Amino acid sequence: MVDLTEEWATQVAEAELSSTLPRRWAHTQGVAKRAVGVSQVLGEDAGLLVAAAMLHDVGYAPRLAVTGFHPLDGARFLRDEHGADERLVRLVANHSFALLEAEERGLREALASEFPLLEERLLVDALVYCDMTTTPDGGRTTAEERVAEILGRYGDDSVVGRFIRRAAPEISSSTKRIEALLAAQPR
């Protein structure tokens, strides 16, 4: 049975992304599909992960892009317009080591003060894994290939390029932890 939060998250993400940013919507659907596949290692937080996966890039929606930094814009939208669950909002705000990119953009204090990091490593790692092993078109990839793809798209010296190079070791560690948990699951 689909959790109501997951259903709501899908409706919100689809409304904001599907027509204006179809490629971002494809990525989002792929990330959510990965989250469903990882859910067995999360227990009662599985629905929260799927909802966060579905909403992690909602801040890219043109009508929501206030600061131009999608984790912050998305989290503010979810908090202010939807009164979303705090853990969900904090996961979206800080997904895939967003604090490092916020620093590159001069927004670290805003992000950290409004949306403190969630101190739940498994959930954080799982969302990183889902995001960073999904291509822009929603297919599967490795974290290393995804980092290389991001660097190729944005360039080494861009804000995103500088951020992703700094985040790459942490992304690799997070994905390896989740891969190890998945490998240890009974078949």
mmCIF file of all heavy atoms in Angstrom, residues 81-126:
data_model
loop_
_atom_site.group_PDB
_atom_site.id
_atom_site.type_symbol
_atom_site.label_atom_id
_atom_site.label_comp_id
_atom_site.label_asym_id
_atom_site.label_seq_id
_atom_site.Cartn_x
_atom_site.Cartn_y
_atom_site.Cartn_z
ATOM 1 N N GLU A 81 4.289 26.607 1.941
ATOM 2 C CA GLU A 81 3.039 26.409 1.205
ATOM 3 C C GLU A 81 2.304 25.134 1.589
ATOM 4 O O GLU A 81 1.100 25.041 1.397
ATOM 5 C CB GLU A 81 3.289 26.415 -0.309
ATOM 6 C CG GLU A 81 3.617 27.804 -0.838
ATOM 7 C CD GLU A 81 3.587 27.870 -2.353
ATOM 8 O OE1 GLU A 81 2.784 27.148 -2.991
ATOM 9 O OE2 GLU A 81 4.377 28.666 -2.888
ATOM 10 N N HIS A 82 3.040 24.163 2.113
ATOM 11 C CA HIS A 82 2.412 22.870 2.403
ATOM 12 C C HIS A 82 2.478 22.457 3.866
ATOM 13 O O HIS A 82 1.857 21.462 4.228
ATOM 14 C CB HIS A 82 3.034 21.775 1.535
ATOM 15 C CG HIS A 82 2.682 21.910 0.093
ATOM 16 N ND1 HIS A 82 1.477 21.506 -0.426
ATOM 17 C CD2 HIS A 82 3.384 22.437 -0.947
ATOM 18 C CE1 HIS A 82 1.449 21.763 -1.718
ATOM 19 N NE2 HIS A 82 2.585 22.326 -2.058
ATOM 20 N N GLY A 83 3.237 23.173 4.688
ATOM 21 C CA GLY A 83 3.368 22.782 6.086
ATOM 22 C C GLY A 83 3.860 21.353 6.220
ATOM 23 O O GLY A 83 3.428 20.612 7.110
ATOM 24 N N ALA A 84 4.780 20.961 5.345
ATOM 25 C CA ALA A 84 5.259 19.576 5.298
ATOM 26 C C ALA A 84 6.005 19.197 6.568
ATOM 27 O O ALA A 84 6.531 20.043 7.289
ATOM 28 C CB ALA A 84 6.161 19.380 4.069
ATOM 29 N N ASP A 85 6.058 17.901 6.805
ATOM 30 C CA ASP A 85 6.767 17.314 7.938
ATOM 31 C C ASP A 85 8.194 17.861 8.009
ATOM 32 O O ASP A 85 8.888 17.933 6.988
ATOM 33 C CB ASP A 85 6.785 15.793 7.751
ATOM 34 C CG ASP A 85 7.624 15.088 8.783
ATOM 35 O OD1 ASP A 85 7.126 14.895 9.913
ATOM 36 O OD2 ASP A 85 8.788 14.751 8.467
ATOM 37 N N GLU A 86 8.641 18.213 9.201
ATOM 38 C CA GLU A 86 9.963 18.821 9.373
ATOM 39 C C GLU A 86 11.098 17.923 8.891
ATOM 40 O O GLU A 86 12.045 18.392 8.252
ATOM 41 C CB GLU A 86 10.197 19.200 10.841
ATOM 42 C CG GLU A 86 11.551 19.850 11.050
ATOM 43 C CD GLU A 86 11.877 20.114 12.506
ATOM 44 O OE1 GLU A 86 11.031 19.874 13.380
ATOM 45 O OE2 GLU A 86 13.007 20.554 12.751
ATOM 46 N N ARG A 87 11.021 16.649 9.186
ATOM 47 C CA ARG A 87 12.097 15.744 8.740
ATOM 48 C C ARG A 87 12.161 15.692 7.215
ATOM 49 O O ARG A 87 13.241 15.703 6.630
ATOM 50 C CB ARG A 87 11.877 14.336 9.304
ATOM 51 C CG ARG A 87 12.115 14.263 10.804
ATOM 52 C CD ARG A 87 11.671 12.923 11.387
ATOM 53 N NE ARG A 87 12.545 11.845 10.968
ATOM 54 C CZ ARG A 87 12.115 10.603 10.738
ATOM 55 N NH1 ARG A 87 10.836 10.281 10.855
ATOM 56 N NH2 ARG A 87 12.969 9.672 10.391
ATOM 57 N N LEU A 88 11.015 15.656 6.567
ATOM 58 C CA LEU A 88 10.955 15.651 5.113
ATOM 59 C C LEU A 88 11.579 16.928 4.551
ATOM 60 O O LEU A 88 12.413 16.877 3.648
ATOM 61 C CB LEU A 88 9.510 15.506 4.642
ATOM 62 C CG LEU A 88 9.259 15.648 3.145
ATOM 63 C CD1 LEU A 88 9.976 14.550 2.376
ATOM 64 C CD2 LEU A 88 7.765 15.620 2.862
ATOM 65 N N VAL A 89 11.198 18.047 5.102
ATOM 66 C CA VAL A 89 11.713 19.340 4.635
ATOM 67 C C VAL A 89 13.229 19.416 4.832
ATOM 68 O O VAL A 89 13.960 19.876 3.946
ATOM 69 C CB VAL A 89 10.987 20.502 5.352
ATOM 70 C CG1 VAL A 89 11.630 21.837 5.037
ATOM 71 C CG2 VAL A 89 9.509 20.515 4.975
ATOM 72 N N ARG A 90 13.699 18.949 5.962
ATOM 73 C CA ARG A 90 15.148 18.982 6.227
ATOM 74 C C ARG A 90 15.913 18.040 5.303
ATOM 75 O O ARG A 90 17.043 18.360 4.884
ATOM 76 C CB ARG A 90 15.416 18.664 7.699
ATOM 77 C CG ARG A 90 14.993 19.840 8.608
ATOM 78 C CD ARG A 90 14.991 19.501 10.065
ATOM 79 N NE ARG A 90 16.321 19.150 10.552
ATOM 80 C CZ ARG A 90 16.556 18.685 11.782
ATOM 81 N NH1 ARG A 90 15.555 18.512 12.634
ATOM 82 N NH2 ARG A 90 17.784 18.399 12.152
ATOM 83 N N LEU A 91 15.336 16.902 4.961
ATOM 84 C CA LEU A 91 15.970 16.002 3.991
ATOM 85 C C LEU A 91 16.075 16.675 2.621
ATOM 86 O O LEU A 91 17.117 16.619 1.972
ATOM 87 C CB LEU A 91 15.185 14.690 3.867
ATOM 88 C CG LEU A 91 15.460 13.635 4.910
ATOM 89 C CD1 LEU A 91 14.403 12.525 4.826
ATOM 90 C CD2 LEU A 91 16.856 13.060 4.746
ATOM 91 N N VAL A 92 15.001 17.290 2.179
ATOM 92 C CA VAL A 92 15.010 17.991 0.890
ATOM 93 C C VAL A 92 16.028 19.124 0.917
ATOM 94 O O VAL A 92 16.818 19.293 -0.018
ATOM 95 C CB VAL A 92 13.597 18.514 0.543
ATOM 96 C CG1 VAL A 92 13.634 19.470 -0.639
ATOM 97 C CG2 VAL A 92 12.657 17.338 0.262
ATOM 98 N N ALA A 93 16.044 19.895 1.973
ATOM 99 C CA ALA A 93 16.948 21.051 2.074
ATOM 100 C C ALA A 93 18.412 20.647 2.031
ATOM 101 O O ALA A 93 19.242 21.387 1.489
ATOM 102 C CB ALA A 93 16.667 21.810 3.373
ATOM 103 N N ASN A 94 18.720 19.512 2.578
ATOM 104 C CA ASN A 94 20.121 19.110 2.729
ATOM 105 C C ASN A 94 20.517 17.911 1.871
ATOM 106 O O ASN A 94 21.568 17.321 2.092
ATOM 107 C CB ASN A 94 20.402 18.806 4.207
ATOM 108 C CG ASN A 94 20.390 20.061 5.033
ATOM 109 O OD1 ASN A 94 21.289 20.876 4.938
ATOM 110 N ND2 ASN A 94 19.347 20.242 5.830
ATOM 111 N N HIS A 95 19.708 17.585 0.870
ATOM 112 C CA HIS A 95 20.005 16.376 0.097
ATOM 113 C C HIS A 95 21.327 16.482 -0.663
ATOM 114 O O HIS A 95 21.713 17.537 -1.128
ATOM 115 C CB HIS A 95 18.851 16.025 -0.850
ATOM 116 C CG HIS A 95 18.745 16.868 -2.078
ATOM 117 N ND1 HIS A 95 18.059 18.067 -2.085
ATOM 118 C CD2 HIS A 95 19.227 16.694 -3.326
ATOM 119 C CE1 HIS A 95 18.120 18.584 -3.287
ATOM 120 N NE2 HIS A 95 18.834 17.773 -4.076
ATOM 121 N N SER A 96 22.003 15.354 -0.709
ATOM 122 C CA SER A 96 23.252 15.214 -1.479
ATOM 123 C C SER A 96 24.278 16.289 -1.150
ATOM 124 O O SER A 96 24.891 16.879 -2.039
ATOM 125 C CB SER A 96 22.940 15.149 -2.981
ATOM 126 O OG SER A 96 22.123 14.027 -3.249
ATOM 127 N N PHE A 97 24.446 16.527 0.138
ATOM 128 C CA PHE A 97 25.472 17.440 0.658
ATOM 129 C C PHE A 97 25.279 18.881 0.187
ATOM 130 O O PHE A 97 26.234 19.592 -0.120
ATOM 131 C CB PHE A 97 26.882 16.899 0.366
ATOM 132 C CG PHE A 97 27.066 15.536 0.957
ATOM 133 C CD1 PHE A 97 26.945 14.400 0.177
ATOM 134 C CD2 PHE A 97 27.288 15.383 2.313
ATOM 135 C CE1 PHE A 97 27.055 13.125 0.735
ATOM 136 C CE2 PHE A 97 27.404 14.126 2.886
ATOM 137 C CZ PHE A 97 27.293 12.999 2.091
ATOM 138 N N ALA A 98 24.025 19.304 0.179
ATOM 139 C CA ALA A 98 23.674 20.652 -0.268
ATOM 140 C C ALA A 98 24.367 21.742 0.541
ATOM 141 O O ALA A 98 24.602 22.838 0.021
ATOM 142 C CB ALA A 98 22.155 20.843 -0.209
ATOM 143 N N LEU A 99 24.702 21.462 1.785
ATOM 144 C CA LEU A 99 25.367 22.479 2.605
ATOM 145 C C LEU A 99 26.682 22.927 1.969
ATOM 146 O O LEU A 99 27.045 24.101 2.046
ATOM 147 C CB LEU A 99 25.593 21.949 4.020
ATOM 148 C CG LEU A 99 25.803 22.967 5.119
ATOM 149 C CD1 LEU A 99 24.661 23.965 5.192
ATOM 150 C CD2 LEU A 99 25.968 22.269 6.453
ATOM 151 N N LEU A 100 27.379 22.016 1.310
ATOM 152 C CA LEU A 100 28.626 22.376 0.623
ATOM 153 C C LEU A 100 28.355 23.305 -0.559
ATOM 154 O O LEU A 100 29.106 24.249 -0.797
ATOM 155 C CB LEU A 100 29.370 21.119 0.164
ATOM 156 C CG LEU A 100 29.902 20.212 1.262
ATOM 157 C CD1 LEU A 100 30.500 18.948 0.664
ATOM 158 C CD2 LEU A 100 30.927 20.938 2.120
ATOM 159 N N GLU A 101 27.296 23.030 -1.295
ATOM 160 C CA GLU A 101 26.948 23.930 -2.402
ATOM 161 C C GLU A 101 26.439 25.266 -1.873
ATOM 162 O O GLU A 101 26.735 26.322 -2.442
ATOM 163 C CB GLU A 101 25.912 23.306 -3.331
ATOM 164 C CG GLU A 101 25.656 24.175 -4.550
ATOM 165 C CD GLU A 101 24.733 23.556 -5.585
ATOM 166 O OE1 GLU A 101 24.424 22.347 -5.510
ATOM 167 O OE2 GLU A 101 24.310 24.307 -6.488
ATOM 168 N N ALA A 102 25.687 25.228 -0.786
ATOM 169 C CA ALA A 102 25.206 26.475 -0.179
ATOM 170 C C ALA A 102 26.382 27.367 0.193
ATOM 171 O O ALA A 102 26.328 28.592 0.019
ATOM 172 C CB ALA A 102 24.347 26.167 1.045
ATOM 173 N N GLU A 103 27.436 26.761 0.690
ATOM 174 C CA GLU A 103 28.639 27.517 1.031
ATOM 175 C C GLU A 103 29.223 28.196 -0.205
ATOM 176 O O GLU A 103 29.591 29.375 -0.157
ATOM 177 C CB GLU A 103 29.665 26.564 1.653
ATOM 178 C CG GLU A 103 30.845 27.242 2.278
ATOM 179 C CD GLU A 103 31.706 26.224 3.007
ATOM 180 O OE1 GLU A 103 31.208 25.611 3.975
ATOM 181 O OE2 GLU A 103 32.867 26.045 2.584
ATOM 182 N N GLU A 104 29.290 27.463 -1.310
ATOM 183 C CA GLU A 104 29.799 28.027 -2.569
ATOM 184 C C GLU A 104 28.937 29.204 -3.038
ATOM 185 O O GLU A 104 29.423 30.124 -3.683
ATOM 186 C CB GLU A 104 29.835 26.958 -3.671
ATOM 187 C CG GLU A 104 30.849 25.865 -3.474
ATOM 188 C CD GLU A 104 32.280 26.295 -3.726
ATOM 189 O OE1 GLU A 104 32.510 27.279 -4.466
ATOM 190 O OE2 GLU A 104 33.183 25.642 -3.166
ATOM 191 N N ARG A 105 27.665 29.186 -2.705
ATOM 192 C CA ARG A 105 26.719 30.208 -3.151
ATOM 193 C C ARG A 105 26.523 31.337 -2.135
ATOM 194 O O ARG A 105 25.737 32.245 -2.361
ATOM 195 C CB ARG A 105 25.364 29.569 -3.449
ATOM 196 C CG ARG A 105 25.384 28.612 -4.615
ATOM 197 C CD ARG A 105 24.028 27.937 -4.798
ATOM 198 N NE ARG A 105 24.020 27.070 -5.946
ATOM 199 C CZ ARG A 105 23.790 27.451 -7.198
ATOM 200 N NH1 ARG A 105 23.532 28.710 -7.464
ATOM 201 N NH2 ARG A 105 23.809 26.566 -8.182
ATOM 202 N N GLY A 106 27.209 31.251 -0.999
ATOM 203 C CA GLY A 106 27.025 32.255 0.041
ATOM 204 C C GLY A 106 25.713 32.106 0.794
ATOM 205 O O GLY A 106 25.226 33.064 1.391
ATOM 206 N N LEU A 107 25.160 30.909 0.775
ATOM 207 C CA LEU A 107 23.864 30.653 1.420
ATOM 208 C C LEU A 107 23.954 29.642 2.566
ATOM 209 O O LEU A 107 22.939 29.165 3.055
ATOM 210 C CB LEU A 107 22.853 30.142 0.377
ATOM 211 C CG LEU A 107 22.450 31.140 -0.700
ATOM 212 C CD1 LEU A 107 21.676 30.443 -1.814
ATOM 213 C CD2 LEU A 107 21.630 32.269 -0.099
ATOM 214 N N ARG A 108 25.157 29.338 2.997
ATOM 215 C CA ARG A 108 25.327 28.323 4.039
ATOM 216 C C ARG A 108 24.573 28.685 5.319
ATOM 217 O O ARG A 108 23.864 27.851 5.890
ATOM 218 C CB ARG A 108 26.807 28.106 4.349
ATOM 219 C CG ARG A 108 27.025 27.016 5.387
ATOM 220 C CD ARG A 108 28.493 26.815 5.752
ATOM 221 N NE ARG A 108 28.632 25.851 6.803
ATOM 222 C CZ ARG A 108 28.862 24.554 6.625
ATOM 223 N NH1 ARG A 108 28.999 24.069 5.410
ATOM 224 N NH2 ARG A 108 28.969 23.732 7.653
ATOM 225 N N GLU A 109 24.719 29.901 5.777
ATOM 226 C CA GLU A 109 24.059 30.317 7.016
ATOM 227 C C GLU A 109 22.543 30.233 6.895
ATOM 228 O O GLU A 109 21.865 29.762 7.812
ATOM 229 C CB GLU A 109 24.494 31.727 7.415
ATOM 230 C CG GLU A 109 23.898 32.223 8.720
ATOM 231 C CD GLU A 109 24.145 31.303 9.919
ATOM 232 O OE1 GLU A 109 25.250 30.731 10.022
ATOM 233 O OE2 GLU A 109 23.230 31.168 10.755
ATOM 234 N N ALA A 110 21.998 30.677 5.765
ATOM 235 C CA ALA A 110 20.547 30.610 5.560
ATOM 236 C C ALA A 110 20.071 29.157 5.606
ATOM 237 O O ALA A 110 19.093 28.845 6.297
ATOM 238 C CB ALA A 110 20.163 31.256 4.232
ATOM 239 N N LEU A 111 20.753 28.277 4.891
ATOM 240 C CA LEU A 111 20.342 26.875 4.859
ATOM 241 C C LEU A 111 20.488 26.224 6.230
ATOM 242 O O LEU A 111 19.559 25.578 6.727
ATOM 243 C CB LEU A 111 21.157 26.106 3.812
ATOM 244 C CG LEU A 111 20.751 24.649 3.594
ATOM 245 C CD1 LEU A 111 19.338 24.553 3.041
ATOM 246 C CD2 LEU A 111 21.736 23.956 2.662
ATOM 247 N N ALA A 112 21.639 26.424 6.853
ATOM 248 C CA ALA A 112 21.908 25.775 8.145
ATOM 249 C C ALA A 112 20.986 26.277 9.252
ATOM 250 O O ALA A 112 20.575 25.498 10.119
ATOM 251 C CB ALA A 112 23.366 25.979 8.537
ATOM 252 N N SER A 113 20.659 27.550 9.237
ATOM 253 C CA SER A 113 19.809 28.083 10.310
ATOM 254 C C SER A 113 18.338 27.735 10.109
ATOM 255 O O SER A 113 17.639 27.424 11.066
ATOM 256 C CB SER A 113 19.995 29.590 10.461
ATOM 257 O OG SER A 113 19.546 30.264 9.303
ATOM 258 N N GLU A 114 17.871 27.750 8.878
ATOM 259 C CA GLU A 114 16.467 27.422 8.621
ATOM 260 C C GLU A 114 16.200 25.926 8.644
ATOM 261 O O GLU A 114 15.129 25.489 9.074
ATOM 262 C CB GLU A 114 16.031 27.960 7.248
ATOM 263 C CG GLU A 114 15.769 29.436 7.222
ATOM 264 C CD GLU A 114 15.240 29.872 5.874
ATOM 265 O OE1 GLU A 114 14.155 29.389 5.460
ATOM 266 O OE2 GLU A 114 15.908 30.699 5.236
ATOM 267 N N PHE A 115 17.165 25.159 8.140
ATOM 268 C CA PHE A 115 16.958 23.724 7.970
ATOM 269 C C PHE A 115 18.198 22.962 8.435
ATOM 270 O O PHE A 115 19.031 22.557 7.620
ATOM 271 C CB PHE A 115 16.664 23.405 6.498
ATOM 272 C CG PHE A 115 15.521 24.208 5.933
ATOM 273 C CD1 PHE A 115 15.767 25.269 5.075
ATOM 274 C CD2 PHE A 115 14.216 23.918 6.279
ATOM 275 C CE1 PHE A 115 14.725 26.022 4.557
ATOM 276 C CE2 PHE A 115 13.163 24.670 5.770
ATOM 277 C CZ PHE A 115 13.415 25.726 4.909
ATOM 278 N N PRO A 116 18.341 22.774 9.735
ATOM 279 C CA PRO A 116 19.517 22.054 10.241
ATOM 280 C C PRO A 116 19.613 20.650 9.643
ATOM 281 O O PRO A 116 18.599 20.030 9.316
ATOM 282 C CB PRO A 116 19.272 21.972 11.754
ATOM 283 C CG PRO A 116 18.209 22.979 12.044
ATOM 284 C CD PRO A 116 17.414 23.159 10.795
ATOM 285 N N LEU A 117 20.839 20.191 9.529
ATOM 286 C CA LEU A 117 21.066 18.832 9.034
ATOM 287 C C LEU A 117 20.294 17.827 9.874
ATOM 288 O O LEU A 117 20.215 17.958 11.097
ATOM 289 C CB LEU A 117 22.549 18.483 9.104
ATOM 290 C CG LEU A 117 23.470 19.152 8.101
ATOM 291 C CD1 LEU A 117 24.920 18.867 8.454
ATOM 292 C CD2 LEU A 117 23.160 18.685 6.699
ATOM 293 N N LEU A 118 19.753 16.851 9.223
ATOM 294 C CA LEU A 118 19.064 15.769 9.905
ATOM 295 C C LEU A 118 20.128 14.788 10.394
ATOM 296 O O LEU A 118 20.969 14.345 9.624
ATOM 297 C CB LEU A 118 18.111 15.082 8.929
ATOM 298 C CG LEU A 118 17.010 14.233 9.503
ATOM 299 C CD1 LEU A 118 16.097 15.048 10.417
ATOM 300 C CD2 LEU A 118 16.189 13.622 8.383
ATOM 301 N N GLU A 119 20.116 14.489 11.670
ATOM 302 C CA GLU A 119 21.127 13.608 12.263
ATOM 303 C C GLU A 119 20.699 12.148 12.204
ATOM 304 O O GLU A 119 20.769 11.432 13.188
ATOM 305 C CB GLU A 119 21.398 14.038 13.719
ATOM 306 C CG GLU A 119 21.951 15.440 13.860
ATOM 307 C CD GLU A 119 23.329 15.627 13.228
ATOM 308 O OE1 GLU A 119 24.116 14.653 13.218
ATOM 309 O OE2 GLU A 119 23.609 16.734 12.731
ATOM 310 N N GLU A 120 20.241 11.735 11.041
ATOM 311 C CA GLU A 120 19.817 10.359 10.834
ATOM 312 C C GLU A 120 20.575 9.833 9.620
ATOM 313 O O GLU A 120 20.084 9.886 8.501
ATOM 314 C CB GLU A 120 18.311 10.284 10.629
ATOM 315 C CG GLU A 120 17.537 10.750 11.857
ATOM 316 C CD GLU A 120 16.046 10.762 11.629
ATOM 317 O OE1 GLU A 120 15.489 9.668 11.364
ATOM 318 O OE2 GLU A 120 15.442 11.843 11.724
ATOM 319 N N ARG A 121 21.780 9.347 9.889
ATOM 320 C CA ARG A 121 22.720 8.984 8.810
ATOM 321 C C ARG A 121 22.111 8.042 7.782
ATOM 322 O O ARG A 121 22.317 8.217 6.585
ATOM 323 C CB ARG A 121 23.992 8.383 9.375
ATOM 324 C CG ARG A 121 24.902 7.862 8.268
ATOM 325 C CD ARG A 121 26.236 7.474 8.746
ATOM 326 N NE ARG A 121 27.120 8.504 8.240
ATOM 327 C CZ ARG A 121 28.327 8.739 8.673
ATOM 328 N NH1 ARG A 121 28.807 8.058 9.667
ATOM 329 N NH2 ARG A 121 29.059 9.665 8.135
ATOM 330 N N LEU A 122 21.374 7.056 8.212
ATOM 331 C CA LEU A 122 20.825 6.085 7.274
ATOM 332 C C LEU A 122 19.894 6.764 6.261
ATOM 333 O O LEU A 122 19.995 6.528 5.060
ATOM 334 C CB LEU A 122 20.097 4.966 8.021
ATOM 335 C CG LEU A 122 19.511 3.855 7.163
ATOM 336 C CD1 LEU A 122 20.585 3.178 6.314
ATOM 337 C CD2 LEU A 122 18.808 2.833 8.042
ATOM 338 N N LEU A 123 19.006 7.610 6.737
ATOM 339 C CA LEU A 123 18.099 8.329 5.840
ATOM 340 C C LEU A 123 18.868 9.256 4.896
ATOM 341 O O LEU A 123 18.587 9.314 3.699
ATOM 342 C CB LEU A 123 17.110 9.171 6.661
ATOM 343 C CG LEU A 123 15.761 8.576 6.949
ATOM 344 C CD1 LEU A 123 14.992 9.458 7.918
ATOM 345 C CD2 LEU A 123 14.968 8.337 5.689
ATOM 346 N N VAL A 124 19.804 9.985 5.447
ATOM 347 C CA VAL A 124 20.608 10.916 4.644
ATOM 348 C C VAL A 124 21.382 10.145 3.582
ATOM 349 O O VAL A 124 21.377 10.515 2.402
ATOM 350 C CB VAL A 124 21.544 11.750 5.552
ATOM 351 C CG1 VAL A 124 22.529 12.561 4.734
ATOM 352 C CG2 VAL A 124 20.716 12.666 6.461
ATOM 353 N N ASP A 125 22.054 9.078 3.995
ATOM 354 C CA ASP A 125 22.811 8.257 3.048
ATOM 355 C C ASP A 125 21.903 7.671 1.968
ATOM 356 O O ASP A 125 22.268 7.631 0.796
ATOM 357 C CB ASP A 125 23.513 7.105 3.767
ATOM 358 C CG ASP A 125 24.787 7.502 4.480
ATOM 359 O OD1 ASP A 125 25.270 8.638 4.310
ATOM 360 O OD2 ASP A 125 25.313 6.643 5.230
ATOM 361 N N ALA A 126 20.738 7.205 2.373
ATOM 362 C CA ALA A 126 19.826 6.582 1.410
ATOM 363 C C ALA A 126 19.382 7.584 0.347
ATOM 364 O O ALA A 126 19.325 7.244 -0.847
ATOM 365 C CB ALA A 126 18.620 5.984 2.134
#
